[in-house]
Amino acid sequence: MQYLEQTIDYLGQEVRLKIHLEIKKGQIATPLHCAVLETRLGLVGVASSTRGLCRCSFVSDRESFARELAEHAPTAELRFVSPGQFAPLIDLLNGQASSPIELSLHLIGTAFACRVWLELISIPTAEVRTYAGVAAAIGQPRATRAVGSAVGRNPIVPLIPCHRVIRSDGQIGGYSGLGGRERKASLLALERSQDK
């Protein structure tokens, strides 16, 4: 287990991240507190371990999120709680957080995937990077495809901003989250409008 802290700007709000990195291929086995949050971005499913937020994704409803968690954390006990327990996160996603906000993340993945996710966190709001650029930034310039795979497995969207990674030809590229390319384009447009 590794621990680091990083301060980022999320839509004009200062966020102090406390990041717990667990380098392994396995799944989360601890009980997870889960909820589906209503935000201006749409419904967001969240799950938190004792160390922090470990899953955040766009969902269509609670049942689809429960299926997603069963796939990614099949041995974890799921405890659905009131969305109010994630009130600071709701405020953050809605652009209404009192700055600064502190947020703990629990990232579980291979060493390579975690390096990619940390690099994504460092991309400033309203800016973009290419997959090749991310590969070069982590010291693996030939690993563009592997970077794309790690970006697609991002466990905490949109806080780990995989939507800020585009193709080398300037095209927006794919987005593995619910809503696909349209969601990716809308997230980028929202950031650019907030950054003016």
Side-chain angles (χ1 to χ4, degrees):
M1 180 74 68
Q2 299 176 38
Y3 175 80
L4 59 95
E5 294 187 6
Q6 186 168 345
T7 299
I8 63 168
D9 171 85
Y10 183 79
L11 297 177
Q13 303 160 106
E14 183 181 341
V15 185
R16 295 176 183 164
L17 295 176
K18 297 181 176 182
I19 305 171
H20 300 266
L21 292 175
E22 196 167 343
I23 308 297
K24 68 175 188 177
K25 290 186 178 179
Q27 309 291 332
I28 301 172
T30 60
L32 298 179
H33 289 104
C34 315
V36 173
L37 316 178
E38 291 186 21
T39 76
R40 68 176 173 171
L41 305 174
L43 293 180
V44 175
V46 295
S48 183
S49 72
T50 56
R51 297 190 184 276
L53 190 67
C54 58
R55 193 88 189 162
C56 185
S57 57
F58 295 110
V59 298
S60 55
D61 53 38
R62 177 176 159 160
E63 291 71 29
S64 67
F65 185 52
R67 288 192 299 272
E68 177 183 324
L69 290 174
E71 178 182 339
H72 292 282
T75 61
E77 176 189 350
L78 306 183
R79 299 176 182 170
F80 276 87
V81 298
S82 166
Q85 292 194 28
F86 294 93
L89 180 59
I90 295 172
D91 290 344
L92 180 66
L93 295 176
N94 286 333
Q96 301 170 340
S98 299
S99 290
I101 182 175
E102 288 192 359
L103 191 62
S104 293
L105 304 183
H106 183 187
L107 299 181
I108 300 172
T110 64
F112 181 86
C114 286
R115 282 168 55 204
V116 170
W117 298 335
L118 291 174
E119 183 62 27
L120 299 184
I121 290 172
S122 73
I123 302 173
T125 298
E127 292 187 18
V128 294
R129 300 288 186 270
T130 63
Y131 295 97
V134 172
I138 65 168
Q140 300 283 325
R142 296 183 177 209
T144 302
R145 286 187 184 219
V147 164
S149 180
V151 168
R153 291 193 312 272
N154 174 14
I156 303 177
V157 299
L159 298 177
I160 297 178
C162 55
H163 60 277
R164 296 179 189 157
V165 184
I166 62 171
R167 294 177 10 184
S168 294
D169 63 5
Q171 296 295 311
I172 196 166
Y175 187 65
S176 60
L178 181 68
R181 291 180 182 180
E182 288 184 7
R183 172 86 66 182
K184 184 173 184 176
S186 68
L187 289 170
L188 289 170
L190 173 63
E191 291 184 349
R192 288 172 180 146
S193 69
Q194 296 268 326
D195 196 49
K196 290 179 180 177

